[in-house]
Amino acid sequence: MSSTDQVQPPLHAPARPGASHSAVAPGEIAVGVVIGRASEYFDFFVYGIASVLVFPAVFFPFAERLEGTLYAFIVFSFAFIARPFGTALFMAIQRHWGRSVKLTVALFLLGTATVGIAFLPGYQVLGGAAIVLLAFFRVLQGVAFGGSWDGLPSLLALNAPRDRRSWYAMLGQLGAPIGFLVAGALFLFLHTSLSEADFIGWGWRYPFFVAFAINVVALFARLRLVVTEEYTAALEESDLEPIGTLEMLRRQGYNIFIGSFAALASYALFHLVTIFPLSWIALDESQSINDVLTVQLIGAVLAVLGTIASGWIADRIGKRTTVALLACLIGVFSLFAPMLMDGSPLQQDIFILVGFALLGVSYGQASGTVTANFAPHFRYTGAALTSDFAWLFGAAFAPLVALGLSAHFGLGYVSVYLLSGVVCTLLALRVNRRLEASD
């Protein structure tokens, strides 16, 4: 494969009197995008895995294991609810103090909220206050995650070669499976190296400490790009400037919601192959946690490969065709979910691995499926809000709904949940096509 620096002519900032700008290489943008997204998703998956393995015992010891896990999943959803508010807040910060201030504050807040959880005493020490503080830090994570949008994926997509735009679009999506891979590997190492008492007592806190260090590295990697004169000029040349959220909803609300629902099948699948299987198997005790985490790490590698493949596929058959085709395959996969998850360890492993493979290809093109609908002036904020609402509608409550309904009424509700996402994706793509035709 040729270098990304070779397939795209350099971007140049608009000429200014008495100033000249260096060329901007797409390869540099890609590196910043992958590092930034991987660090953010590492934070989120550290929390998600801990919601299954740790939080029921540490913060909800007064409840049965199932109820404690459901309580943890309720708190898990708070970050996704807070994300759009974080986007709105930090877009205002950017308008007043600039992109570098916005990004620094957002990543510092994300790292501080995450490491704050590491220092948080459990229910046995603080009682109900521990749960309140856990919820508070989770909300802060969501606010910070919404504020961490830097516009680099949009800049990359706008300046990619026309025949390779889907390839470049998938680069930002690599951050999620890579983030899960690192988080899962760290938890697997700690869980296998420590006794259960030590893991619950103090070992689980180390991934949250690591998250802060990773955020510091990611911050400098991204600031190196977004604060330089050539990148600032390139962002301004592409009209990637923050727009007020109320103005966005008033003038582009239909595009935001169509884009959110167009990606729903992929986002619904995301937590149903990462967080939900871990919780279901932990409660059912059908196989060891270490075995499940190992299989999920293999699945994450498949997701990385699938995400890369999605760029190649979508450049040949089209992004929306790829998203629609994968939504249909996710629908077929959902029909086998009850049989696989209620079966032997091998069947459960097949559910995880096939799910991760489908997730990689579908998620690789899910972001920005209809972002081209936004005029350049609205694309920066529109892409951020579309992603926020896609995660909120598709993934925020997936572990809670899937585990709660499956435990009380059967695993058939996993199929229903996934199928609802498939229907929303196909309907949104159809509506979008009709709107384009009418225009």
Side-chain angles (χ1 to χ4, degrees):
M1 184 181 69
S2 60
S3 166
T4 52
D5 292 353
Q6 296 173 324
V7 298
Q8 163 70 2
L11 303 173
H12 296 280
R16 294 180 183 176
S20 61
H21 303 293
S22 303
V24 177
E28 288 187 74
I29 308 176
V31 170
V33 169
V34 174
I35 291 176
R37 297 297 172 269
S39 67
E40 293 163 358
Y41 284 112
F42 174 81
D43 285 36
F44 261 51
F45 282 122
V46 162
Y47 189 97
I49 295 172
S51 293
V52 177
L53 303 184
V54 178
F55 293 165
V58 174
F59 294 102
F60 305 101
F62 53 84
E64 296 293 330
R65 181 64 188 268
L66 172 61
E67 283 70 28
T69 305
L70 293 175
Y71 291 149
F73 284 165
I74 291 174
V75 180
F76 176 80
S77 70
F78 289 174
F80 300 96
I81 297 171
R83 276 185 64 168
F85 297 98
T87 295
L89 171 64
F90 280 91
M91 287 295 175
I93 290 174
Q94 181 175 336
R95 288 195 299 273
H96 286 87
W97 292 289
R99 185 177 285 106
S100 61
V101 172
K102 167 198 170 182
L103 190 59
T104 301
V105 173
L107 290 185
F108 180 79
L109 181 62
L110 180 59
T112 301
T114 304
V115 82
I117 297 172
F119 286 107
L120 187 59
Y123 183 86
Q124 300 289 4
V125 176
L126 292 182
I131 300 173
V132 173
L133 287 172
L134 179 67
F136 173 71
F137 285 130
R138 184 58 176 166
V139 170
L140 287 186
Q141 278 191 319
V143 171
F145 200 89
S148 65
W149 179 252
D150 51 25
L152 291 178
S154 296
L155 180 64
L156 186 60
L158 285 171
N159 292 280
R162 178 170 288 275
D163 61 344
R164 299 200 71 193
R165 285 181 177 172
S166 295
W167 172 263
Y168 280 90
M170 71 83 187
L171 292 173
Q173 303 299 86
L174 282 172
I178 291 174
F180 180 83
L181 185 64
V182 178
L186 187 53
F187 267 103
L188 177 61
F189 171 76
L190 291 168
H191 201 263
T192 56
S193 303
L194 301 173
S195 67
E196 184 67 18
D198 285 341
F199 178 76
I200 293 296
W202 53 268
W204 66 271
R205 300 177 185 274
Y206 278 93
F208 290 87
F209 291 127
V210 171
F212 185 81
I214 289 178
N215 276 328
V216 171
V217 174
L219 173 62
F220 284 105
R222 293 162 76 179
L223 284 179
R224 176 179 172 271
L225 295 178
V226 301
V227 303
T228 58
E229 189 176 10
E230 58 267 25
Y231 275 86
T232 299
L235 287 162
E236 291 173 351
E237 183 183 43
S238 301
D239 289 329
L240 295 178
E241 292 300 322
I243 306 297
T245 301
L246 292 179
E247 181 184 355
M248 279 296 306
L249 293 174
R250 185 175 67 253
R251 300 180 62 179
Q252 296 287 308
Y254 57 94
N255 277 332
I256 292 171
F257 286 101
I258 290 174
S260 302
F261 283 103
L264 216 61
S266 177
Y267 284 82
L269 181 62
F270 211 107
H271 287 148
L272 292 186
V273 297
T274 54
I275 308 303
F276 168 70
L278 194 61
S279 65
W280 180 263
I281 294 171
L283 290 168
D284 194 47
E285 298 182 342
S286 55
Q287 55 178 306
S288 74
I289 293 298
N290 293 338
D291 289 344
V292 180
L293 286 172
T294 301
V295 171
Q296 288 191 316
L297 293 182
I298 297 171
V301 173
L302 293 178
V304 169
L305 297 175
T307 303
I308 295 171
S310 75
W312 184 88
I313 295 169
D315 276 333
R316 282 151 181 80
I317 67 174
K319 176 189 283 286
R320 294 177 198 175
T321 301
T322 302
V323 172
L325 175 62
L326 265 296
C328 294
L329 291 177
I330 290 171
V332 174
F333 170 72
S334 72
L335 301 177
F336 294 91
M339 177 188 71
L340 294 174
M341 283 303 296
D342 202 29
S344 66
L346 176 61
Q347 290 174 303
Q348 294 172 337
D349 294 345
I350 291 173
F351 172 87
I352 292 170
L353 295 175
V354 173
F356 264 107
L358 290 173
L359 175 65
V361 184
S362 62
Y363 182 73
Q365 297 301 315
S367 177
T369 306
V370 298
T371 303
N373 290 0
F374 293 107
H377 181 60
F378 294 107
R379 183 168 294 196
Y380 177 78
T381 306
L385 288 173
T386 297
S387 177
D388 290 345
F389 285 113
W391 280 107
L392 176 59
F393 298 149
F397 306 101
L400 175 66
V401 172
L403 181 62
L405 292 178
S406 296
H408 291 100
F409 305 107
L411 283 161
Y413 281 92
V414 175
S415 300
V416 174
Y417 193 89
L418 279 174
L419 285 171
S420 68
V422 170
V423 170
C424 288
T425 290
L426 296 177
L427 284 176
L429 292 175
R430 184 174 180 83
V431 169
N432 184 65
R433 178 174 293 182
R434 288 194 171 186
L435 288 175
E436 286 184 338
S438 64
D439 289 340

